[in-house]
Amino acid sequence: MCGIVAAVADRNIVPVLLEGLRKLEYRGYDSAGLALINELGLQRLRAVGRVAELTAQVDETGAAGNTGIAHTRWATHGVPSERNAHPHISDGLAVVHNGIIENHEALRTRLKADGYEFTSDTDTEVIAHLIAHELKTTGDFFTAVRASIAQLQGAYAIAVLREVEPDRVIVAREGSPLLLGLTDEGNYAASDASALLQVTRRMVYLDNGDCAELLRGSYRITRVDGTPVERAETESQLSADSVELGQYRHYMQKEIFEQPVALSNTLELIGAARSIQPGLLGADAEVTLKDVRQILIIACGTSYHAGLVARYWLEAIAGISCSVEVASEYRYRDSVPDPQTLVVTISQSGETADTLAALHHAKAQGMMRTLAICNVPESSLVRETALRFITRAGPEIGVASTKAFTTQLAALYLLTLVLAKLRGRLTAEHESAELTALRHLPVAVAKVLELEPQIKEWAGHFAMKQHALFLGRGRHYPIAMEGALKLKEISYIHAEAYAAGELKHGPLALVDKEMPVIAVAPNDTLIEKLKSNLQEVRARGGELYVFADADSEMQESDGVHVLHLPEHYGALSALLHVVPLQLLSYHVALVRGTDVDKPRNLAKSVTVE
Ligand code: M6R
């Protein structure tokens, strides 16, 4: 997703802008640009590709200045190209923008009628022309920016500068993140703190609806209507190196606890949105997805489990047929290709050899509508698909995938809603309820993490076992599979997952008092069926560990341990129910003393077949 850096200072700020953009590269982008005010007036440089290309242009031109704005663009409206790269200019002012302006078409029509000429396909260019237009009537730069953003619908963080006011930068946010960095020699703004740690730890986080004027020696913040507001200055504690362990004992533990932040970063674009836009999946998403006939999901390991959960969503909510394949199988299988299939590849690393090969296989068979859901923007997978959604989990170091999984699920849910909308299956009321549920998700996950002490207690019961069974039904069956994978991967306990209805078709023979049985049991339409399956286990002496939720009436009894998750979360409950399973595996592994972050025989990124 786009990243912003802005600066006004008593020094050449170009190196700060470029380093800031490099720090924001993890967000994902396809082009970069900057605008400066210097002796040339307003100077703009833009490049498709990496920040390194922009840096080369800076070196070539010797561009320098005391005031500037810079941007990495992740295309939503308009293909990645130099003409669509930010900053966008109108009448001596330049704008960079992160987010999506939902009413850009109406604004564009109006501005065109007023004589403004558009040189890009972006929604951002309307902001530049709108501010230029408002300046004609208000005469004041800050007032004109506020008057303009009052007309915007959607999510945005913006930074604006103006040639004739060389020591002033205006910024604003609604939905997309933006913070200020303060120093004695000038003031800065950026999409996240990591971009500004190079110059300061003194940060001011802007609230939604805040606008700020940055001068070299001062700044002020107002609401959109001009009312002045104070926002607290904080000392950033962020490590300059985000892959440090900090207070945690293992990366896996850190990454489990980072899930609320990872989810809120991944869902950033819907932060203030009133609707779900296909552009979330890339500039060409609407065209690519419109007449898709079916979905084929290809992935490995944990990413494959994310795909299995998504199948339930895609078929039930979007009404589209979906199949999910293990990449290493699909790549060698004689399947029946259909060019109207959307091929969805899921991978944390984007470098998994089997997933890449499976994608090549699908493309070779004429299936060119491809989407990557991936955590690494520069990865091979992302480069080779037509559409992409970058999960913003941040670096995942532990071999056992945790935050990558939950952010993949969030991305797949968004895909489901986009398809449901394009297929006319999402009413406005339903859409708004879904957006509310997604926005609350990070808080809901944080509440589940508070169950750690009880889960730790349960872990002691498993440590001496050799085997475990995981049960689930419906979309929680893949969650049971993921729980079993986590347990075997890091504790080396043999664990298997079954769809609970399959129990009496074989695995029930394994159940005795030595076999702990873990059940994923949210209060959904299958709960009564699941309860019957659990009775069958109990009747054979199996010890039950049940992850229920707030709505479920399951009670503790002899041999039946029940933990209630704080909320019932409907279609998204899979995202909550995997968290206690991650914590359980982690604590069992701790008791058993295994190498949690680097389990034997495994690698983080499986780049060989
Ligand atoms: O990077 P990927 O998501 O493509 O990796 C796929 C699997 O190798 C991976 O999910 C693996 O199963 C995890 N280590 C499990 O925790």
Side-chain angles (χ1 to χ4, degrees):
M1 308 279 159
C2 308
I4 290 175
V5 190
V8 46
D10 289 325
R11 61 181 278 187
N12 174 19
I13 46 74
V14 175
V16 180
L17 296 181
L18 290 173
E19 178 57 16
L21 291 187
R22 275 190 286 271
K23 289 286 188 234
L24 296 177
E25 283 187 309
Y26 78 91
R27 298 168 66 86
Y29 70 105
D30 40 54
S31 52
L34 57 79
L36 305 168
I37 304 179
N38 54 26
E39 63 289 347
L40 299 175
L42 181 59
Q43 184 180 14
R44 173 172 66 174
L45 302 176
R46 298 184 292 178
V48 176
R50 307 287 91 192
V51 172
E53 321 283 340
L54 185 66
T55 308
Q57 283 193 30
V58 166
D59 293 345
E60 213 170 285
T61 54
N66 298 90
T67 304
I69 55 177
H71 189 261
T72 46
R73 173 174 187 255
W74 183 80
T76 56
H77 295 77
V79 297
S81 64
E82 192 175 320
R83 67 190 279 276
N84 286 333
H86 302 203
H88 290 286
I89 289 182
S90 181
D91 205 10
L93 60 83
V95 179
V96 291
H97 163 226
N98 170 17
I100 292 180
I101 304 303
E102 291 170 9
N103 59 338
H104 73 101
E105 272 169 16
L107 291 170
R108 182 183 277 255
T109 308
R110 207 180 80 198
L111 288 159
K112 273 186 174 167
D114 285 335
Y116 291 91
E117 276 178 28
F118 283 78
T119 57
S120 78
D121 309 314
T122 65
D123 52 343
T124 306
E125 197 177 355
V126 300
I127 307 175
H129 291 317
L130 203 53
I131 299 171
H133 189 66
E134 290 296 331
L135 253 171
K136 286 181 187 154
T137 42
T138 65
D140 174 65
F141 185 21
F142 197 14
T143 314
V145 173
R146 291 201 309 269
S148 304
I149 60 178
Q151 300 169 55
L152 303 180
Q153 285 167 14
Y156 56 79
I158 59 167
V160 198
L161 51 72
R162 190 175 179 218
E163 187 175 358
V164 295
E165 297 191 61
D167 299 324
R168 206 176 180 199
V169 171
I170 310 292
V171 299
R173 74 160 290 213
E174 176 68 50
S176 303
L178 200 68
L179 55 91
L180 311 183
L182 314 177
T183 75
D184 293 339
E185 45 144 43
N187 291 311
Y188 299 82
S191 299
D192 79 37
S194 63
L196 299 182
L197 286 177
Q198 52 171 324
V199 285
T200 188
R201 287 192 171 271
R202 292 171 53 205
M203 309 286 177
V204 175
Y205 286 83
L206 297 180
D207 276 1
N208 277 333
D210 282 354
C211 312
E213 174 191 57
L214 306 182
L215 306 173
R216 286 188 199 186
S218 65
Y219 73 95
R220 66 182 169 123
I221 305 173
T222 72
R223 303 296 290 162
V224 180
D225 65 5
T227 313
V229 280
E230 298 280 328
R231 300 285 174 228
E233 184 182 321
T234 55
E235 178 88 2
S236 173
Q237 301 302 319
L238 193 76
S239 159
D241 181 357
S242 65
V243 294
E244 279 180 13
L245 263 179
Q247 53 169 315
Y248 296 99
R249 203 165 148 191
H250 294 99
Y251 285 108
M252 182 183 181
Q253 184 192 23
K254 176 176 182 253
E255 288 155 8
I256 290 172
F257 279 87
E258 280 174 348
Q259 288 178 108
V261 173
L263 283 165
S264 99
N265 288 342
T266 299
L267 295 169
E268 179 191 307
L269 265 186
I270 58 144
R274 290 185 207 173
S275 61
I276 287 155
Q277 304 272 327
L280 289 167
L281 303 166
D284 302 329
E286 187 156 358
V287 178
T288 310
L289 299 179
K290 220 164 197 155
D291 54 352
V292 151
R293 208 159 23 210
Q294 59 183 352
I295 310 282
L296 167 63
I297 298 179
I298 307 169
C300 302
T302 289
S303 299
Y304 168 68
H305 294 156
L308 290 176
V309 175
R311 180 173 60 178
Y312 288 89
W313 289 334
L314 285 159
E315 298 209 335
I317 301 171
I320 188 161
S321 150
C322 174
S323 54
V324 190
E325 298 243 12
V326 168
S328 55
E329 286 296 310
Y330 174 75
R331 63 184 290 190
Y332 293 117
R333 204 163 68 75
D334 290 329
S335 47
V336 183
D338 173 358
Q340 260 172 276
T341 300
L342 175 70
V343 179
V344 180
T345 49
I346 311 172
S347 173
Q348 187 285 130
S349 60
E351 303 297 343
T352 301
D354 281 322
T355 308
L356 281 165
L359 172 67
H360 299 160
H361 180 65
K363 281 163 76 171
Q365 294 191 91
M367 295 198 279
M368 304 310 285
R369 295 170 197 231
T370 54
L371 164 70
I373 293 179
C374 187
N375 196 38
V376 182
E378 306 78 23
S379 62
S380 309
L381 197 67
V382 170
R383 286 198 301 271
E384 294 184 30
T385 47
L387 302 176
R388 76 262 354 226
F389 184 97
I390 308 297
T391 52
R392 304 253 302 272
E396 192 180 67
I397 312 295
V399 163
S401 190
T402 53
K403 60 179 181 170
F405 179 68
T406 40
T407 53
Q408 284 167 352
L409 288 180
L412 287 159
Y413 200 71
L414 284 175
L415 171 67
T416 303
L417 296 180
V418 165
L419 284 164
K421 193 167 175 181
L422 289 173
R423 297 163 69 84
R425 290 176 61 105
L426 198 63
T427 62
E429 207 181 327
H430 185 184
E431 184 172 4
S432 143
E434 294 289 2
L435 282 168
T436 306
L438 281 166
R439 283 187 199 119
H440 178 65
L441 200 51
V443 175
V445 169
K447 286 202 229 155
V448 177
L449 288 167
E450 287 171 14
L451 298 175
E452 189 185 27
Q454 287 116 292
I455 294 168
K456 207 167 161 181
E457 219 174 275
W458 280 15
H461 303 212
F462 287 80
M464 295 307 138
K465 304 285 182 191
Q466 296 307 314
H467 308 274
L469 270 184
F470 284 72
L471 300 179
R473 295 197 73 136
R475 57 184 177 262
H476 300 98
Y477 167 41
I479 294 301
M481 293 168 82
E482 176 59 9
L485 176 62
K486 287 287 92 90
L487 190 69
K488 71 181 114 181
E489 189 179 16
I490 60 166
S491 74
Y492 315 149
I493 293 175
H494 170 234
E496 291 301 328
Y498 281 94
E502 271 290 289
L503 208 55
K504 57 173 98 54
H505 298 287
L508 200 53
L510 292 169
V511 173
D512 63 14
K513 65 180 179 15
E514 287 310 313
M515 176 71 88
V517 177
I518 298 118
V520 185
N523 193 29
D524 61 14
T525 50
L526 292 169
I527 189 70
E528 293 307 324
K529 307 263 176 220
L530 180 67
K531 278 183 186 168
S532 308
N533 302 140
L534 300 187
Q535 293 294 344
E536 292 158 12
V537 170
R538 195 58 207 125
R540 272 96 191 154
E543 190 110 351
L544 280 167
Y545 295 85
V546 183
F547 290 98
D549 63 22
D551 286 6
S552 150
E553 283 159 14
M554 291 216 172
Q555 301 295 334
E556 292 252 347
S557 59
D558 185 31
V560 183
H561 312 268
V562 182
L563 217 154
H564 290 270
L565 270 62
E567 285 180 74
H568 173 72
Y569 224 77
L572 283 162
S573 65
L575 266 122
L576 301 197
H577 272 269
V578 74
V579 174
L581 303 184
Q582 297 167 344
L583 284 168
L584 183 68
S585 310
Y586 174 70
H587 285 289
V588 172
L590 273 193
V591 180
R592 288 171 68 100
T594 58
D595 189 348
V596 173
D597 285 330
K598 293 189 214 69
R600 67 186 182 204
N601 310 335
L602 300 178
K604 181 67 188 160
S605 187
V606 185
T607 53
V608 291
E609 192 178 349

